[in-house]
């Protein structure tokens, strides 16, 4: 999985937990928007609740984590690194190794897994409305060897000096514990403690738990991570119980003089995010005359020879130029003459007083590093002595405030910062901010949005991406630590666009310079001059740090590369135009008469404006061009036929790429019968109920301002409608329509109406203290109703005249309770009722509560799942089918105590990126309806579509199909479905430009 893949997957959870369109759109915008996502990171997460299942408007507290993941050996970005937060897959790194996501404030264990790299974990604390930045280095598996598990043998990585000797007799399969005696493949990753940059690949923040349970900071001699697989890579292997393997670590040359005779050995516990003491290594000399540390291990993971650090601490204050403390700064230490540091400091942040403290080694030299707004800089080097007070990690754990009384004060540290804002009134224009300035050694830097990207080294100038805020399209930060002239310019990218205007003044451009929290200078283009480059201002920094700003006020002809420097000798010409590269993910065969989504990834070295054209057998074909995908309406065929799909990618400067793919189009299996899409923006259809007598569908048009119940005829036309302010649920019987609705102030109502929704038979009040939801389920002799109050879940059975047959209660938990679409089901065999309720806690983990209630009102069983997502439940005969985390289908006994079988749908290659939000059984088969996420070849999220899966009752896959729609859209999402015979009815919404519109589709399915 990848960044967009996991974020999109979790976004689906938020969308499905509330039919509130505003909530869905805002969440989707923040999570899906791949353009400039990092610059918008500090916006508040979440959105507004409500809709047909919510409980009114609410704001979710969010903190943010930004990871920059690189190869510990090459320092190159690592893409497609999977991020787990407290064990839950959450995000995937981008092409540039960037991961950015929001999460509620709290303590987290972060784990990173990437193909061909050793896993990495660390613990951190996330604070409200703050971004935590982490530079991560992953250790690649740079050594691999095959050996026979039965015979054993010696494994040695000559480049690092690490050695492992296996006794033989076989290895243990991690999956089931059985013995494996065939050929095995071993992979070894190693971090060199002599390379300071590789210390960021050290998992666990250098925190260890020693033999008496105390937490200590560690100094390493070089860890290694070992993974062993069967020859076909299908099984991960480890040592059998009671068996050990001999290991050797080569002592780095720089540490030979400081290596004790024995060194503690530690393994990394991924669950706790800490190193755990397990025995000793003995110093020795190997056959090559190298100093080594040797010993034995009982299992394989990360292993690390470390000594607990003899630590002290220092404290200080981070301030701006005006002397104001800077809050939210991450400060840590890195050893200069020792191989360790206080990387836990990256998880602590300065408060309103700007104060920080860090651990450092006694009688050691350390660099103090600060990260402010994602820019990392060294603020000091500290040399401690043995006279410094002893202060250990365990002391801080026991009393966090003790540091301020014990740690010596190192002083105040001033960080200068200038913010430059470029905005323009005409949004049809494309302007880019350019900044040049002096380098620390010699020469000048030049940064901009395109071509040069961003820099994170002195002089710490950074361009933030455009379109983060409506009024501030581009921002830049300068920390002018080097004296000299910093020039600010603006380039006009589309002067020939008549919608924008030829002249820079026509764009309405304005530059503001912020310093010490105030606007100190404003500049706009002169009214004359028809060039495309505005030389705006010069910021001069004196050697004493004082600033002066002068307006250049020139408009000249130029390009993206020159002329930008005050001194023309520094100008460099733009490179020659380079053609784009493109990759289209085209399936080898598809169904005819369907909509097929083809993700693409396009890269242009020059950052040009790309145009895409698609052709079917040389003809125009029927295509829709979306953001990152092409939707192909496949032709109708009666027998399989090959078509050639051609894609032309043009940078409009002469660069052109043409790709052709042969695709086999088969006769359709899933065939769209009809599709009804309404042009009512900011709304969706939620809940679907089928009246079998006339094959009409009843659904709720979940609008922001009202919830009308709509009847859609067999042919897909709206035939009736009844308006309500807020509707919880709809149920259909052969004679009537039942609707549960919200009257406000905790009053929930229940009404019985005619099939045409015109006649009211009766209306009653369910409760005067209702909260969050009310759901209905009709049976042959009445109607089951479940709703929540402040303290209980109320389950009732009504007769068809509105009289109560029986009532039972169950204690309620959580701050908010949600009973999603079709959360109440009845077992057709014994009549037992199953109710699945998602309980959202304001603090701590959420949970899913499933109640089993008899047809007479007795609560027979309660099952709790500690999941972050709602659990779909479906009782049938002697089993209960459950979907957890949208991916796991589990089959239980009737009391849900015994797991009979389970399947992760992603274990089927054809179901990768599918998810399930509803279950139903039809004609002896299990159907899962939900969606599929699409990604381009660069593993960037592109769109979502509705999808269906079919299994037998033993969870064996029959098929999985994407349910395309013909309406042009950016994505589609399902919020209700019904299967009857060979027909599937789906209700939901399609998205265009971040606005949802309601849609109902009927399909014929195999």
């Amino acid at each position: 999985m990848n960044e967009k893949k996991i974020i999109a997957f979790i976004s689906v959870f938020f969308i499905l937990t509330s039919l509130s369109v505003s909530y869905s759109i805002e969440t989707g915008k923040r999570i899906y928007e791949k353009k400039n996502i990092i610059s918008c990171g500090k916006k508040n997460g979440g959105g507004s609740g409500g809709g047909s299942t919510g409980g009114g408007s609410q704001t979710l507290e969010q903190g943010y984590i930004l990871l920059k993941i690189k190869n510990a050996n090459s320092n190159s970005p690592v893409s497609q690194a999977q991020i787990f937060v407290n064990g839950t897959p959450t995000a995937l790194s981008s092409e540039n190794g960037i991961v950015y996501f929001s999460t509620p404030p709290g303590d987290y264990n972060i784990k990173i897994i990437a193909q061909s790299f050793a896993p990495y974990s660390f613990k951190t604390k996330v604070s409200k409305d703050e971004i935590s930045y982490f530079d991560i280095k992953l250790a690649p598996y740079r050594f691999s060897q095959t050996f026979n598990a039965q015979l054993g043998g010696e494994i040695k990585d000559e480049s690092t000096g690490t050695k492992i000797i296996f006794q033989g007799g076989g290895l243990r399969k991690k999956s089931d514990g059985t013995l494996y005696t065939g050929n095995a493949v071993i992979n070894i990753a190693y971090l060199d403690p002599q390379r300071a940059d590789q210390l960021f690949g050290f998992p666990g923040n250098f925190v260890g738990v020693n033999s008496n349970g105390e937490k200590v900071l560690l100094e390493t001699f070089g860890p290694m991570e070992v993974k062993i697989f069967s020859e076909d890579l299908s099984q991960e292997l480890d040592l059998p119980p009671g068996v050990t393997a001999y290991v050797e670590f080569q002592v780095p040359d720089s540490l030979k003089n400081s290596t004790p005779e024995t060194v503690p050995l530690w393994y990394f516990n991924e669950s706790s995010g800490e190193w755990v003491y397990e025995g000793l290594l003995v110093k020795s000399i190997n056959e090559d005359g190298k100093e080594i540390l040797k010993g034995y291990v009982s299992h394989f993971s990360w292993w690390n020879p470390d000594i607990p650090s003899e630590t002290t601490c220092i404290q200080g204050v981070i301030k701006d130029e005006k002397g104001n403390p800077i809050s939210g700064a991450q400060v840590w230490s890195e050893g200069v003459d020792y191989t360790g540091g206080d990387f836990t400091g990256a998880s602590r942040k300065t408060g309103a007083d700007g104060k920080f403290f860090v651990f450092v080694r006694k009688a050691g030299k350390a660099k103090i590093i600060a990260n402010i707004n994602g820019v990392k800089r060294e603020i000091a080097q500290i040399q401690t002595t043995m006279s410094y007070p002893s202060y250990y990690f365990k002391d801080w754990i026991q009393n966090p405030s003790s540091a301020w009384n014990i740690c010596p004060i190192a002083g105040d540290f001033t960080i200068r910062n200038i913010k430059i804002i470029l905005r323009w009134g005409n949004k049809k224009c494309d302007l880019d901010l350019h900044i040049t300035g002096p380098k620390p050694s010699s020469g000048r830097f030049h940064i901009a949005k395109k071509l040069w990207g961003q820099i994170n080294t002195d002089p710490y100038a950074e361009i933030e991406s455009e379109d983060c805020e409506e009024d501030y399209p581009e921002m830049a930060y300068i920390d002018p630590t080097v004296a000299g002239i910093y020039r600010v310019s603006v380039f006009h990218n589309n002067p020939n666009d008549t919608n924008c205007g030829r002249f820079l003044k026509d764009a309405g451009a304005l530059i503001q310079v912020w310093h010490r929290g105030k606007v100190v200078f404003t500049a706009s283009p002169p009214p004359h001059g028809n060039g495309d480059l505005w030389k705006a201002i010069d910021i001069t920094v004196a050697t004493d740090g004082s600033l002066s700003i002068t307006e250049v006020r020139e408009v000249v002809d130029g390009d993206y590369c020159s002329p930008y420097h005050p001194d023309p000798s520094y100008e460099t010409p733009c490179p020659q135009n380079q053609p784009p590269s493109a990759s289209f993910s085209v399936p080898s065969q598809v169904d005819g008469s369907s909509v097929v989504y083809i993700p693409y990834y396009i890269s242009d070295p020059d950052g040009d404006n790309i145009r895409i054209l698609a052709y079917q057998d040389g003809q125009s074909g029927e295509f829709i061009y979306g953001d990152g995908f092409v939707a192909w309406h496949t032709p109708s065929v009666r027998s399989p036929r090959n078509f050639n799909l051609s894609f032309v990618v043009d940078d409009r400067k002469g660069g052109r790429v043409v790709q052709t793919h042969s695709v086999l189009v088969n006769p359709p299996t899933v065939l769209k019968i009809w599709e009804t899409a309404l042009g009512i923006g900011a709304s969706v259809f939620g809940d679907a109920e089928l009246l079998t007598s006339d094959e009409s569908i009843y659904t709720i048009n979940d609008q922001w301002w009202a919830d009308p119940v709509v009847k859609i005829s067999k042919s897909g036309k709206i035939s009736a409608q009844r308006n309500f302010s807020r509707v919880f649920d709809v149920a259909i019987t052969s004679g009537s329509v039942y609707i549960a609705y919200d009257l406000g102030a905790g009053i929930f109502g229940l009404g019985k109406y005619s099939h045409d929704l015109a006649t009211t038979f009766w209306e009653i009040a369910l409760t005067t203290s209702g909260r969050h939801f009310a759901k209905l389920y009709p049976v042959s002799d009445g109607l089951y109703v479940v709703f929540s109050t402040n303290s209980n879940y109320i389950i009732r059975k009504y007769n068809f005249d509105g009289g109560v047959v029986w009532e039972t209660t169950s204690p309620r938990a959580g701050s908010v309770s949600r009973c999603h679409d079709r959360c109440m089901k009845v077992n057709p065999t014994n009549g037992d009722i199953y109710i699945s309720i998602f309980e959202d806690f304001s603090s701590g983990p959420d949970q899913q509560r499933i109640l089993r209630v008899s047809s007479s009102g007795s609560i027979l069983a309660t099952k709790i799942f500690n999941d972050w997502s709602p659990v779909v439940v479906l009782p049938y005969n002697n089993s209960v089918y459950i979907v957890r985390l949208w991916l796991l289908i589990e089959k239980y006994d009737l009391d849900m105590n015994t797991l009979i079988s389970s399947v992760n749908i992603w274990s089927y290659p054809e179901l990768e990126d599918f998810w399930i939000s509803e279950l139903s059984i039809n004609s002896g088969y299990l159907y899962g309806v939900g969606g599929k996420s699409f990604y381009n070849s660069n593993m960037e999220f592109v769109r979502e579509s509705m999808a269906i899966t079919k299994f037998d009752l033993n969870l064996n896959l029959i098929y999985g199909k994407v349910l395309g729609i013909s309406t042009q859209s950016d994505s589609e999402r399902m919020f209700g479905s019904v299967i009857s015979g060979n027909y599937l009815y789906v209700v939901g919404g399609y998205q265009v430009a971040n606005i949802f519109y309601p849609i109902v589709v009927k399909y014929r399915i195999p």
Side-chain angles (χ1 to χ4, degrees):
M1 291 188 290
N2 62 55
E3 176 184 279
K4 276 78 178 181
K5 191 179 290 189
I6 302 301
I7 292 179
F9 179 67
I10 292 180
S11 176
V12 171
F13 157 65
F14 285 108
I15 291 165
L16 293 175
T17 56
S18 173
L19 292 182
S20 161
V21 177
S22 174
Y23 185 67
S24 303
I25 292 170
E26 290 304 309
T27 303
K29 181 177 180 181
R30 292 186 183 94
I31 293 180
Y32 293 144
E33 193 169 85
K34 62 179 180 294
K35 181 182 181 184
N36 308 326
I37 188 170
I38 296 171
S39 65
C40 299
K42 223 178 172 184
K43 291 183 178 179
N44 289 335
S48 45
S52 64
T53 58
S57 178
Q58 60 178 332
T59 300
L60 301 178
E61 292 187 350
Q62 295 289 305
Y64 304 88
I65 292 178
L66 191 153
L67 308 175
K68 299 179 181 179
I69 305 173
K70 294 184 178 181
N71 185 319
N73 282 355
S74 65
N75 209 38
S76 58
V78 176
S79 63
Q80 303 178 45
Q82 187 176 350
I83 314 303
F84 291 81
V85 178
N86 287 349
T88 299
T90 301
L92 201 83
S93 63
S94 69
E95 179 185 17
N96 296 318
I98 304 296
V99 178
Y100 177 78
F101 59 93
S102 63
T103 189
D107 296 313
Y108 292 97
N109 191 350
I110 310 296
K111 182 177 180 179
I112 304 171
I113 296 177
Q115 186 175 4
S116 303
F117 291 86
Y120 179 94
S121 300
F122 68 99
K123 298 170 73 174
T124 189
K125 183 179 182 66
V126 175
S127 302
K128 177 185 176 183
D129 294 336
E130 290 186 356
I131 304 175
S132 297
Y133 302 86
F134 297 95
D135 290 325
I136 305 297
K137 300 292 179 69
L138 297 185
Y141 289 117
R142 57 186 183 185
F143 177 86
S144 181
Q145 184 175 324
T146 300
F147 69 101
N148 186 272
Q150 175 65 31
L151 299 178
E154 177 181 300
I155 310 296
K156 185 173 183 180
D157 178 2
E158 297 291 347
S159 64
T160 63
T162 55
K163 180 193 288 188
I164 303 172
I165 299 178
F166 293 91
Q167 298 181 24
L171 296 171
R172 174 179 59 88
K173 295 180 184 178
K174 282 192 171 183
S175 60
D176 58 12
T178 59
L179 196 66
Y180 177 85
T181 58
N183 288 338
V185 179
I186 184 171
N187 297 311
I188 300 176
Y190 175 80
L191 291 173
D192 186 352
Q194 300 173 109
R195 290 181 52 180
D197 59 333
Q198 292 207 359
L199 294 181
F200 287 92
F202 194 101
N205 292 337
F206 284 84
V207 176
V209 181
N210 62 20
S211 57
N212 61 11
E214 291 182 346
K215 295 185 178 182
V216 295
L217 292 181
L218 303 174
E219 295 178 40
T220 182
F221 289 85
M224 70 173 173
E225 202 271 352
V226 178
K227 278 280 191 299
I228 310 171
F229 295 91
S230 58
E231 190 172 33
D232 63 1
L233 306 181
S234 64
Q235 295 284 339
E236 186 175 354
L237 309 174
D238 207 339
L239 295 171
V243 176
T244 60
Y246 172 85
V247 295
E248 286 184 7
F249 297 83
Q250 186 171 298
V251 177
D253 290 336
S254 62
L255 300 177
K256 286 190 294 186
N257 295 330
S258 59
T259 306
E261 293 301 313
T262 59
V263 174
L265 180 62
W266 314 71
Y267 76 90
F268 187 70
N269 186 320
E270 292 184 353
S271 299
S272 66
E274 296 168 331
W275 294 89
V276 179
Y277 172 85
E278 190 167 301
L280 291 171
L281 297 173
V282 178
K283 185 169 70 173
S284 184
I285 304 295
N286 69 6
E287 62 276 13
D288 298 323
K290 298 287 186 179
E291 192 168 271
I292 59 169
L293 297 168
K294 63 181 183 179
Y296 293 88
V297 298
S298 59
H299 58 92
F300 282 102
S301 59
W302 273 105
W303 285 100
N304 184 24
D306 285 83
I307 55 174
S309 187
E310 191 71 21
T311 54
T312 180
C313 59
I314 61 102
Q315 64 174 298
V317 180
I318 304 293
K319 294 183 175 181
D320 63 18
E321 296 168 280
K322 198 175 179 181
N324 297 316
I326 297 176
S327 64
Q330 298 165 264
V331 186
W332 65 91
S333 68
E334 297 176 15
V336 174
D337 58 1
Y338 62 97
T339 57
D342 178 17
F343 291 86
T344 64
S347 299
R348 300 187 297 266
K349 290 188 174 183
T350 57
D353 56 6
K355 292 176 64 176
F356 72 89
F357 88 94
V358 293
F359 293 94
V360 291
R361 191 177 76 171
K362 267 193 172 185
K365 187 175 184 179
K367 294 184 292 184
I368 309 301
I369 309 296
N371 190 325
I372 300 173
N373 294 324
V375 179
K376 184 176 67 175
R377 67 209 69 191
E378 179 183 323
I379 61 174
Q381 286 201 10
I382 300 295
Q383 176 67 60
T384 64
T385 65
M386 291 303 296
S387 64
Y388 273 58
S390 295
Y391 191 62
Y392 298 101
F393 195 78
K394 65 180 180 65
D395 299 326
W396 175 66
I397 292 292
Q398 294 170 357
N399 184 6
S401 64
S402 60
W404 311 118
N405 300 320
I406 296 175
C407 302
I409 298 174
D412 296 346
F413 302 91
T414 300
I415 297 177
R416 293 180 294 274
N417 196 289
I418 299 171
K419 180 166 70 173
I420 299 168
I421 296 176
L422 166 67
R423 55 182 172 184
W424 56 94
N426 189 345
K427 298 302 179 184
K428 296 178 181 178
C429 298
D430 183 11
L431 307 185
D432 275 343
L433 189 63
H434 288 246
I435 297 176
T436 69
K439 292 181 178 179
S441 53
S442 62
R444 293 179 62 80
F445 69 85
H446 182 172
I447 62 170
K449 177 67 170 66
K450 301 175 183 175
L451 299 182
W452 292 273
Q454 303 172 355
I455 61 172
N456 289 305
T457 58
D458 204 343
Y460 307 111
E462 183 176 4
I463 301 285
E464 281 200 348
S465 302
E466 58 190 34
D467 299 329
C468 181
E469 296 285 354
E470 186 67 23
D471 294 333
Y472 302 146
E474 286 203 3
M475 289 183 287
Y477 293 92
I478 304 175
D479 184 9
T481 57
V482 179
I485 298 175
Y486 295 77
R487 172 159 290 182
V488 180
S489 304
V490 176
F491 183 69
H492 194 337
N493 285 290
N494 59 339
N496 296 319
D497 187 342
T498 56
N499 292 320
C500 173
R502 177 69 181 88
F503 305 125
L504 270 158
K505 64 180 179 62
D506 298 327
L510 178 72
I511 286 177
Q512 288 181 333
V513 180
W514 290 65
H515 185 50
R516 295 178 178 173
K518 296 181 180 179
V519 177
V520 297
F521 201 90
T522 301
S524 57
H528 53 79
N530 60 358
D532 48 16
L533 195 158
W534 169 31
K535 298 180 180 181
I537 59 174
D538 283 344
I539 303 173
T540 302
V541 179
T543 54
D544 63 358
S546 61
L547 307 178
S548 62
I549 304 175
T550 57
E551 190 167 5
V552 181
R553 203 170 170 78
E554 293 181 12
V555 175
V556 299
D557 282 324
D559 56 31
Y560 209 82
C561 304
S562 65
Y564 290 93
H565 295 276
D567 184 345
S569 65
Y570 289 103
E571 304 295 346
T572 57
C574 271
Q576 296 294 317
N577 181 58
Q578 301 181 59
S581 60
S583 174
F584 290 82
S585 302
V586 181
S588 59
Q589 56 181 316
V590 298
D591 281 359
S593 302
S594 64
V595 180
V596 176
Y597 301 103
I598 302 172
Y600 63 75
Y601 173 72
I602 295 175
S603 176
D604 186 86
D606 307 321
D608 296 325
N609 187 18
I610 296 297
R611 176 176 58 188
I612 303 170
L613 296 173
Y615 301 91
Q616 172 188 303
D617 277 355
Q619 306 299 315
S620 296
E622 190 175 359
F623 300 93
I624 295 174
Y625 300 91
D627 185 9
F629 69 92
V630 175
W632 176 32
H633 288 243
T634 61
S636 177
V637 295
R638 294 187 177 183
S639 60
R641 177 187 164 187
N642 281 300
F643 289 84
N644 287 325
L645 283 189
S646 297
F647 300 94
V648 178
V649 180
D650 185 2
D651 67 2
R652 310 187 193 207
K653 292 184 178 179
R656 185 180 176 90
V657 175
V658 179
Q659 292 185 3
T660 300
H661 302 261
S662 179
V663 182
L664 179 65
V665 178
N666 295 306
T669 52
V670 174
L671 182 65
K672 180 167 64 66
I673 305 299
W674 51 253
E675 168 182 300
T676 299
L678 301 186
I680 304 174
S683 71
V684 297
F685 280 135
D687 191 15
E689 301 294 334
L690 176 67
L691 180 60
T692 55
S693 61
D694 63 0
E695 299 182 37
S696 58
I697 289 289
Y698 291 81
T699 184
I700 304 167
N701 185 195
D702 182 12
Q703 303 170 358
W704 184 248
W705 54 93
D707 284 356
V709 175
V710 178
K711 179 181 180 181
I712 299 174
S713 70
K714 178 180 179 179
S715 60
K717 297 179 180 179
I718 294 179
S719 58
Q721 179 173 312
R722 189 181 185 102
N723 294 325
F724 295 85
S725 60
R726 187 182 180 213
V727 174
F728 289 123
D729 201 11
V730 177
I732 310 298
T733 66
S734 60
S736 305
V737 178
Y738 296 86
I739 301 174
Y741 50 89
D742 187 0
L743 293 172
I747 302 174
F748 290 178
L750 174 64
K752 179 179 179 180
Y753 309 93
S754 59
H755 281 160
D756 63 3
L757 301 175
T759 303
T760 301
F761 297 129
W762 50 257
E763 291 180 330
I764 61 174
L766 288 175
T767 180
T768 59
S769 58
R771 292 189 65 185
H772 306 143
F773 73 84
K775 292 293 180 179
L776 312 174
Y777 194 97
V779 289
S780 61
D781 59 347
L783 182 73
Y784 294 126
V785 180
V786 60
F787 58 89
S788 65
T789 63
N790 287 330
S791 57
N792 290 302
Y793 300 119
I794 310 297
I795 304 118
R796 290 180 186 153
K797 182 177 182 180
Y798 286 85
N799 60 34
F800 291 133
D801 294 324
V804 176
V805 178
W806 54 255
E807 175 181 310
T808 189
T809 64
S810 178
R812 179 184 161 274
S815 304
V816 178
S817 300
R818 298 187 178 98
C819 196
H820 296 275
D821 185 40
R822 299 187 178 276
C823 63
M824 180 163 52
K825 299 285 183 67
V826 173
N827 191 327
T829 302
N830 57 23
D832 288 347
I833 311 158
Y834 287 77
I835 305 168
S836 181
I837 303 171
F838 183 75
E839 297 175 329
D840 189 342
F841 291 81
S842 57
S843 61
D846 301 330
Q847 66 183 23
Q848 186 80 18
R849 180 186 301 270
I850 301 180
L851 302 174
R852 180 188 179 191
V853 183
S854 73
S855 58
S856 59
S858 299
I859 295 180
L860 303 177
T862 299
K863 179 72 173 180
I864 300 294
F865 292 97
N866 293 315
D867 288 348
W868 54 263
S869 65
V871 172
V872 181
V873 62
L874 176 64
Y876 185 75
N877 291 342
N878 295 319
S879 304
V880 179
Y881 295 89
I882 284 174
V883 177
R884 298 175 57 207
L885 306 175
W886 312 119
L887 299 175
L888 306 176
I889 305 178
E890 298 178 335
K891 182 179 180 180
Y892 287 85
D893 66 344
L894 292 177
D895 280 332
M896 300 164 289
N897 290 324
T898 302
L899 178 63
I900 300 170
S901 60
S902 66
V903 63
N904 183 328
I905 65 172
W906 284 12
S907 64
Y908 294 102
E910 58 267 48
L911 296 187
E912 183 179 7
D913 308 325
F914 278 66
W915 45 267
I916 295 173
S917 56
E918 285 193 4
L919 282 179
S920 62
I921 290 178
N922 184 61
S923 302
Y925 291 96
L926 180 69
Y927 290 87
V929 182
K932 173 181 167 62
S933 300
F934 286 86
Y935 306 86
N936 62 26
S937 61
N938 199 45
M939 303 308 293
E940 295 171 325
F941 173 78
V942 172
R943 74 180 331 271
E944 281 182 351
S945 293
M946 299 180 290
I948 183 172
T949 54
K950 180 179 180 179
F951 299 83
D952 65 22
L953 296 185
N954 293 317
L955 305 184
N956 297 304
L957 178 66
I958 308 298
Y959 66 74
K961 298 287 184 181
V962 174
L963 304 174
I965 66 172
S966 59
T967 302
Q968 182 170 347
S969 66
D970 299 327
S971 279
E972 307 96 45
R973 298 198 182 102
M974 186 279 301
F975 292 111
S977 67
V978 179
I979 295 177
S980 177
N982 291 328
Y983 294 102
L984 166 68
Y985 302 84
V986 177
V987 303
Y990 68 96
Q991 184 182 17
V992 177
N994 290 327
I995 298 177
F996 271 94
Y997 299 87
I999 192 169
V1000 181
V1001 193
K1002 180 180 180 180
Y1003 298 93
R1004 188 178 69 214
I1005 58 175

